[in-house]
Amino acid sequence: MTRSFPNAVDVAIVGSGPTGAAYARILSEQAPQAAVAVFESGPVLTDPPGMHVKNIADPVARVAAQRSSEGLRPHTQSPEGHYPDPSRRVVRPGTHLLPDGYRQPGEDGLPALAMSTNVGGMGAHWTAACPRPGGAERIAFLPDLDELLDEAERLLGVDRHPFDDAPYADVVRARLGTEFDPSRPEERRVRPMPLAVRRRADGALAWSGSDVVFGDTTRNNPNFLLFADAQVRRVLVEDGRAVGVIVRDRIDGGEREVRARFVVVAADALRTPQLLYASGVRPPALGRYLNDQPQMIFAVRLRDVSRQPEAEHSPRGDTAIAEESGVSWVPYIDEEPFHGQVMQLDASPIPLLDEDEPAPGTIVGLGWFCGKDLQESDRIEFDDSATDDYGMPKPRIHYTLTPRDHETLGRARAAILRAARALGDFIGDEPMVLSPGASLHYQGTTRMGPVDDDTSVCAPNSEVWGVSGLYVAGNNVIPTPIACNPTLTSVALAVGGARDIAARLAAEPEDTKDTKDTKDTAAST
Ligand code: FAD
């Protein structure tokens, strides 16, 4: 059956990850009269849409949801449940790797560059760590950054003390604190990692996804529509203004035009610049200043801790993570330009151990993420003559680590070893540097800037320079070399952009609503 798309909306949002959802939520709160439609390339996985797959109780259904997020070439899984890694690239369930073009001769490339294609985006698969940026990670030209970060915490449902009662959490933090705190200002000392997680009435943990960001306010908004399996192929621009989108219905293959007064592209750090490029919006900084956080991991077994009685472990079924050692954070400071997180391996996206049977919570993984030395030459190039699996301009990655990056990695290695020695006994000989792209935190490709000087793509309100009504969202908007997990910051920037659109809608009222007769169809996506 052919579904209906509206002929026109006030705001068309491309992508349903946390940042696209943040636009929908703020607009539902501040401009409830506006017709807002989210178009998402991938399928809907859950009810409500956008829920984190870790909250799916049935393990078979959870794996099916992960496979459905992996684009047109989903991973195959071995009978033992492992993911074969033929290209030795890091493979995460729920994500799909860029099949080719990820490295050019003589460059480092981003072999582990990955994306998710599903309602909720990567936010249906993430670890939900939500630290705040500090020092040079912060965006100095945004005076209201802290207030925006507060709002982002509200939207994501961030808990700053999620595992305070975990049996080994105090031990982990005390040992890290003794090692790192003496040289740090109070606000950048070792602390619990803020996580977008809440405890349900039955005691289980529920991880925030786009469902939480949308919230009931968006879901109950009669002027809000969500279209899954709906790929935006082009943003329509007329006389320097965004006026709509061309959407491919991936169910029937048909293409429709949807007019819009504002278009928000929140399609991740690869596909946001790709869509702008395909739409003929090609400012000089588009795709440039690409940065990923060089990442290093290690593992230790906590020293001198007593085994907790089995009954106190994993009491909440197999969807809850074990939470004995909590998640601890060694914040970035300019003098040590890396971000450390220490968490028990059950919660880590990277499995390190195949055969060890540790007491729950006593094996902790250490992940150190570095701030990248930004270069204009690190970029995504798009091909006018070749297309990717989705028929969009084919991307080609140019990426190199500089001497300064190697120096930072060396210092991060020393720091992770300090942390490991403080905590316990090494598992393995050496910290392991993951292949570039493994952080899943790609930034900069539609970066924000204070002025239009060809080194940025959008203004501080996230509107693309020179294209009125076209906004960009995602980690790609972050202009600084953030080393910490970036989603809280990119959601904060989305809040700022959404407020800007809400204010403009209020200042320029115009009735373009044409959604009523499509609502029933859309609700079934
Ligand atoms: P995404 O969530 O990537 O969503 C983009 C959406 O746009 C996708 O659903 C995609 O299908 C859709 N799309 C793309 N092109 C089109 C198109 N043309 N038309 C329509 N739709 C389109 N971040 C943290 O901050 N903390 C963490 O602890 C953390 N852990 C992670 C662990 C894992 C395993 C993974 C996979 C990610 C993790 N991340 C983490 C990263 C985090 O998930 C992302 O930063 C976040 O999801 C980005 O949100 P977004 O809305 O910008 O983009």
Side-chain angles (χ1 to χ4, degrees), residues 188-335:
R188 302 302 284 176
R189 293 198 175 142
V190 173
R191 60 197 55 227
M193 176 69 81
L195 292 175
V197 64
R198 66 194 184 286
R199 201 172 287 287
R200 295 196 311 237
D202 65 358
L205 293 170
W207 298 87
S208 295
S210 289
D211 61 329
V212 170
V213 180
F214 284 130
D216 286 340
T217 314
T218 311
R219 281 187 288 274
N220 296 336
N221 176 358
N223 295 317
F224 169 71
L225 298 164
L226 168 65
F227 294 94
D229 298 299
Q231 182 204 355
V232 172
R233 309 266 304 169
R234 205 147 42 89
V235 178
L236 299 171
V237 179
E238 293 171 4
D239 301 326
R241 185 171 181 107
V243 295
V245 292
I246 300 289
V247 189
R248 170 172 290 174
D249 184 339
R250 298 193 59 238
I251 294 172
D252 68 11
E255 289 202 357
R256 321 279 154 67
E257 179 176 313
V258 178
R259 305 292 285 187
R261 294 168 63 194
F262 295 92
V263 175
V264 180
V265 185
D268 81 32
L270 179 79
R271 291 174 287 181
T272 297
Q274 181 185 50
L275 182 56
L276 265 56
Y277 186 91
S279 309
V281 178
R282 301 178 181 184
L286 188 75
R288 292 184 176 272
Y289 304 97
L290 169 64
N291 66 108
D292 157 69
Q293 304 167 350
Q295 189 188 355
M296 183 176 294
I297 55 171
F298 202 31
V300 297
R301 187 186 294 262
L302 292 180
R303 187 187 308 122
D304 302 331
V305 291
S306 55
R307 194 180 173 101
Q308 301 288 312
E310 271 326 307
E312 290 181 20
H313 298 297
S314 306
R316 301 187 179 95
D318 65 359
T319 61
I321 67 155
E323 50 190 286
E324 282 74 9
S325 50
V327 183
S328 300
W329 171 27
V330 183
Y332 166 102
I333 51 176
D334 289 339
E335 298 73 27

Side-chain angles (χ1 to χ4, degrees), residues 94-113:
T95 67
H96 50 114
L97 295 162
L98 188 65
D100 47 44
Y102 51 80
R103 181 163 45 211
Q104 308 313 315
E107 299 182 0
D108 296 296
L110 289 179
L113 185 95

